Amino acid sequence: MESLDEFSVIREYFSGLSRGKATIIGPGDDCAVLRLPAETELATSSDTLIEGSHFPVGSSGADIAYRAIATSASDLAAMGAQPLASVLSLSLPDINATWLEDFRRGLSSAIQCFSLPLVGGDLTAGPLTISVTVYGGLPIGQALLRSGARQGEMVLVSGTLGDAAAGLAFLNKEWEPDCADKEFLVRRFFRPESRLNLAASLLEVATAAIDISDGLLADVGHIASESELAIEIDANKIPFSPALSKLDNRQQVLNWALSGGDDYELCFTMPASKKVPDGCTPIGFTASGTGVSCEGFDILSSKKGYRHF
Ligand code: ADP
Ligand code: MG
């Protein structure tokens, strides 16, 4: 145990990560100060991760720091926003230098990966909880909303689905993947891709978008209800990684992909006449009506998307 006080911890572990185009004043004063690019609106989103609820007890500091930044980055991507900065509020049960060094490593890597310089935060004593707020820039009036889908459009997803839920199920000792796939699946849970690199192309083609945090069917349901239309998904078109494609238990794999959360891939709608962005797969279409249906999957017998309460 260290005798570091709050201010030394902030200086030691949470400074020197604030360099970025938008940063005028970083951590150390009462507020951070950011300069927005011209003709830009500010997008912001906050997420809190609690040990035992959002990540398993005993997860490495580096993994949870990375995941905290990545999951918030994903919200910016889903709006079509470009990353500007992040703020981190951390509650720690104690000051453990080894853990904090590890945490900083993951934090630093995520901040670089997603271009989200850390410009401020808060540090309190309490159960391990990580709360990240991110800021992004959007061309005025261009934000990609959940409510923008029109009837007769394609529904697409980025990447592959189900890997993070499969990785979490492995961490929770619910199943045992092939040795060769363990690292990949656990990584998909702790190190989501967060498709910020798709944000610009989505602004060009997409009419509505959401990131998949609670499970595809639950999240696409928000596009359906906000856009006041029906969405029909074809389970046979869901893209799977090689690690999941080779499994025999199709119902389990579909459950992870359609009802398991944590993938942080993007789901979006676009007119069929436009070019599908690289790395994305059409999985269904919008129609008149309400709700989400899924050809080839028994929605009722499956677990619904994650709910906190
Ligand atoms: P105040 O009491 O004025 O809110 P604090 O003492 O909480 O300020 O924090 C001092 C400075 O350190 C602030 O600039 C704050 O943004 C920064 N800071 C505190 N905790 C963190 C953290 N976990 N990560 C990054 N910056 C932090
Ligand atoms: Mg103050």
Side-chain angles (χ1 to χ4, degrees):
M1 215 49 44
E2 297 284 312
S3 58
L4 285 174
D5 67 14
E6 176 192 341
F7 299 106
S8 343
V9 171
I10 294 169
R11 214 174 26 247
E12 190 89 2
Y13 301 103
F14 301 110
S15 58
L17 300 171
S18 69
R19 269 221 355 221
K21 283 198 297 261
T23 313
I24 304 298
I25 305 289
D29 216 310
D30 291 317
C31 285
V33 178
L34 302 176
R35 177 166 298 156
L36 295 182
E39 302 296 304
T40 299
E41 289 175 348
L42 185 66
T44 182
S45 169
S46 241
D47 273 306
T48 298
L49 306 183
I50 299 171
E51 182 175 47
S53 177
H54 300 95
F55 55 88
V57 174
S59 301
S60 89
D63 279 342
I64 59 181
Y66 192 98
R67 185 170 149 77
I69 296 285
T71 57
S72 292
S74 167
D75 283 322
L76 292 178
M79 297 298 283
Q82 293 302 317
L84 290 175
S86 60
V87 167
L88 167 74
S89 292
L90 192 57
S91 159
L92 294 176
D94 52 29
I95 302 294
N96 176 326
T98 315
W99 190 92
L100 279 164
E101 270 155 34
D102 192 42
F103 186 87
R104 182 187 160 100
R105 236 190 326 276
L107 185 64
S108 167
S109 135
I111 276 167
Q112 277 178 39
C113 189
F114 300 114
S115 305
L116 283 166
L118 183 70
V119 298
D122 197 19
L123 182 63
T124 51
L128 181 56
T129 305
I130 294 122
S131 186
V132 168
T133 301
V134 289
Y135 300 96
L138 276 163
I140 290 172
Q142 300 293 299
L144 201 46
L145 308 181
R146 297 174 178 185
S147 56
R150 299 285 168 262
Q151 286 177 30
E153 292 182 330
M154 301 194 284
V155 177
L156 302 94
V157 288
S158 63
T160 59
L161 297 188
D163 303 316
L168 182 60
F170 164 55
L171 289 172
N172 290 335
K173 302 192 167 54
E174 290 161 20
W175 78 297
E176 187 73 11
D178 262 12
C179 238
D181 296 326
K182 285 180 182 169
E183 196 186 324
F184 166 77
L185 293 172
V186 169
R187 210 179 152 76
R188 289 280 285 160
F189 175 76
F190 279 119
R191 311 255 162 165
E193 295 277 343
S194 303
R195 307 288 177 178
L196 272 170
N197 57 348
L198 273 177
S201 28
L202 290 198
L203 279 192
E204 300 280 309
V205 299
T207 52
I210 191 167
D211 67 325
I212 305 173
S213 54
D214 296 339
L216 173 73
L217 296 180
D219 288 320
V220 84
H222 296 301
I223 294 186
S225 59
E226 295 295 316
S227 298
E228 300 182 352
L229 41 69
I231 288 184
E232 297 177 24
I233 302 290
D234 182 348
N236 294 309
K237 298 204 169 132
I238 302 295
F240 294 118
S241 64
L244 292 200
S245 309
K246 67 181 181 204
L247 300 179
D248 293 329
N249 189 342
R250 186 177 149 77
Q251 188 64 26
Q252 173 65 268
V253 169
L254 281 174
N255 248 314
W256 284 327
L258 301 174
S259 307
D262 298 312
D263 282 316
Y264 294 95
E265 293 293 347
L266 298 178
C267 176
F268 58 98
T269 53
M270 60 178 255
S273 57
K274 300 227 162 135
K275 184 179 172 291
V276 172
D278 287 347
C280 300
T281 310
I283 56 162
F285 54 89
T286 59
S288 65
T290 56
V292 177
S293 58
C294 186
E295 176 85 30
F297 180 66
D298 185 358
I299 293 186
L300 289 179
S301 70
S302 78
K303 197 171 112 254
K304 288 281 191 301
Y306 184 80
R307 299 219 167 175
H308 296 274
F309 300 103

